[in-house]
Amino acid sequence: MAGKVKLQEFGRAIRKLSAGGKKPHLLLGNGFSRACRNDIFDYGALFERAEFKKCTKHARAAFEALGTSDFEVVMRALRNAATLLKLYGSGDAHTRKRLQADATALREVLVHAIADSHPALPAEIAPESYARCRTFLSGFADVYILNYDLLLYWAIMQEEIEPVLRFDDGFRTPEEGAAEYVTWEVEKTDRQNVFYLHGALHLFDAGHEVQKYTWVNTGVRLIEQVRGALSQGLYPLFVAEGESDRKLERIKHSDFLGRAYRSFAKIGGTLVAFGLSFAENDDHILRRIARGKVATLLVGIHGDPETDKNKKLIRRAEGLAAGRRTAQPLRVEFFDSASAQVW
């Protein structure tokens, strides 16, 4: 990386990149949710609230041993450890199985932690916060999100708050008529422009169809429906594997997730990344940018760009341009995340 990165003001950067009249695309990461409720969606906060009853005592201790509160980092480390034990010819098959089982159990722990600590009602977020969020979202053609929580869905559903948004997540009333949920079918997604790349708390794979829980059809708080499903052993469509390759494998086995992934791979023009850490566990998404048609990648940076964490993020983002192998070059620029005033 040559020299210190100068962060642009978000509005000015977007106006420049949208001069041709075409709206950019948006990719949201965990920073989007943390910008709203950092006390809930920070990994450290989730770790403190998590219940580790389904894991061995070693799984919780692994966080301290690795110096992290990031669930995906620990899941990846546990699976890597199991692989290495086998590679080195360890005869302790029981230990390998425990490592794999803990990695799988941590995925469920994370789902429960998010659901249990999630705001219960959309009204817990102030109307002026929704207004800022809707104003931010209104500048984009398509929204792709890696988060599992309900915040994006809630913001889009606040239809009484200006500005008007034209977003469609592809879910429709079931063919059999009104039910407690709405369903997604690939044949009816021609207008879809909101894509949950890693699933979400309110989305459930029923085998023959993907269902979205709604408040409108039940009168029951959405997060309470999710918690109720979890208490019955039903788990949402949720890609929380620690490794990028395992995430991609899970995506490819779901029509819903695969459709979102293929849509993301086809976009061109400008892509804005907000709240993304550009971590290795999302390489399957980053590779699509490097190998795709996006001409300009505008990346949000939270705080001082000279911190070690942000320096790594910047290197990783700029590396996507260096790795571009198509005729269309990729330009990478950076903006101050705070200047976007997302919430």
Side-chain angles (χ1 to χ4, degrees):
M1 183 177 65
K4 184 177 179 179
V5 167
K6 183 177 180 180
L7 302 184
Q8 303 177 67
E9 190 273 327
F10 176 74
R12 188 176 299 113
I14 282 294
R15 286 191 293 273
K16 178 183 69 175
L17 294 172
S18 304
K22 192 171 183 180
K23 286 186 175 182
H25 310 280
L26 177 63
L27 175 61
L28 295 173
N30 193 47
F32 171 74
S33 301
R34 291 184 63 179
C36 179
R37 294 292 297 271
N38 190 55
D39 59 323
I40 292 175
F41 297 111
D42 170 63
Y43 263 132
L46 289 172
F47 173 74
E48 291 300 324
R49 293 183 175 93
E51 291 284 346
F52 292 89
K53 295 177 181 177
K54 293 186 177 181
C55 308
T56 68
K57 63 180 181 180
H58 305 292
R60 193 183 193 287
F63 287 83
E64 182 177 351
L66 295 171
T68 185
S69 56
D70 190 323
F71 282 78
E72 293 188 0
V73 167
V74 175
M75 285 188 280
R76 182 170 67 247
L78 292 174
R79 289 202 173 95
N80 286 343
T83 300
L84 289 173
L85 279 176
K86 185 175 182 180
L87 176 65
Y88 276 79
S90 170
D92 191 356
H94 178 63
T95 298
R96 296 200 302 270
K97 287 181 180 178
R98 282 201 303 170
L99 287 165
Q100 293 282 11
D102 276 345
T104 300
L106 282 178
R107 179 176 175 272
E108 297 182 11
V109 170
L110 177 59
V111 175
H112 279 279
I114 295 174
D116 290 343
S117 59
H118 199 288
L121 289 169
E124 291 187 25
I125 299 170
E128 53 268 29
S129 292
Y130 281 125
R132 283 191 290 269
C133 187
R134 288 174 67 88
T135 298
F136 172 72
L137 294 172
S138 68
F140 299 97
D142 305 288
V143 177
Y144 299 87
I145 184 166
L146 300 175
N147 303 351
Y148 315 116
D149 57 72
L150 306 177
L151 298 189
L152 174 65
Y153 177 63
W154 281 355
I156 291 173
M157 293 301 292
Q158 304 302 307
E159 296 178 348
E160 73 282 2
I161 299 176
E162 295 289 340
V164 174
L165 298 180
R166 304 297 183 191
F167 285 120
D168 186 338
D169 61 9
F171 285 88
R172 307 285 184 265
T173 300
E175 290 184 354
E176 309 83 57
E180 293 184 348
Y181 54 81
V182 289
T183 60
W184 182 91
E185 295 178 28
V186 68
E187 298 84 3
K188 301 178 181 179
T189 60
D190 53 305
R191 298 193 307 275
Q192 184 176 352
N193 60 356
V194 173
F195 300 90
Y196 294 90
L197 290 166
H198 287 166
L201 280 178
H202 60 312
L203 308 179
F204 285 75
D205 190 343
H208 63 292
E209 63 187 7
V210 177
Q211 301 173 351
K212 182 179 78 171
Y213 289 4
T214 69
W215 175 84
V216 173
N217 291 6
T218 64
V220 178
R221 296 176 183 178
L222 192 53
I223 195 63
E224 291 303 324
Q225 293 182 57
V226 173
R227 291 169 183 165
L230 288 171
S231 69
Q232 297 174 43
L234 302 175
Y235 283 84
L237 187 58
F238 208 84
V239 181
E241 284 70 15
E243 308 92 331
S244 173
D245 288 346
R246 288 178 66 90
K247 285 183 177 180
L248 182 56
E249 180 181 349
R250 183 165 171 79
I251 287 169
K252 288 182 175 179
H253 281 82
S254 164
D255 282 348
F256 176 81
L257 299 174
R259 164 81 166 82
Y261 186 70
R262 291 190 298 273
S263 171
F264 183 72
K266 293 177 182 177
I267 61 173
T270 297
L271 172 65
V272 174
F274 183 93
L276 230 67
S277 64
F278 284 75
E280 289 81 356
N281 52 17
D282 287 327
D283 275 347
H284 56 294
I285 300 298
L286 303 180
R287 282 195 299 268
R288 290 296 91 204
I289 300 173
R291 299 173 183 176
K293 302 175 183 177
V294 170
T296 302
L297 174 62
L298 183 62
V299 180
I301 301 292
H302 177 70
D304 183 358
E306 290 298 296
T307 63
D308 290 341
K309 184 177 181 179
N310 280 335
K311 283 182 177 180
K312 180 180 178 182
L313 189 162
I314 291 166
R315 283 196 304 271
R316 297 264 299 164
E318 291 182 334
L320 300 181
R324 176 63 65 91
R325 296 291 181 266
T326 64
Q328 169 69 61
L330 174 63
R331 184 171 75 253
V332 179
E333 300 182 9
F334 301 92
F335 70 94
D336 177 7
S337 291
S339 68
Q341 299 182 340
V342 173
W343 290 100

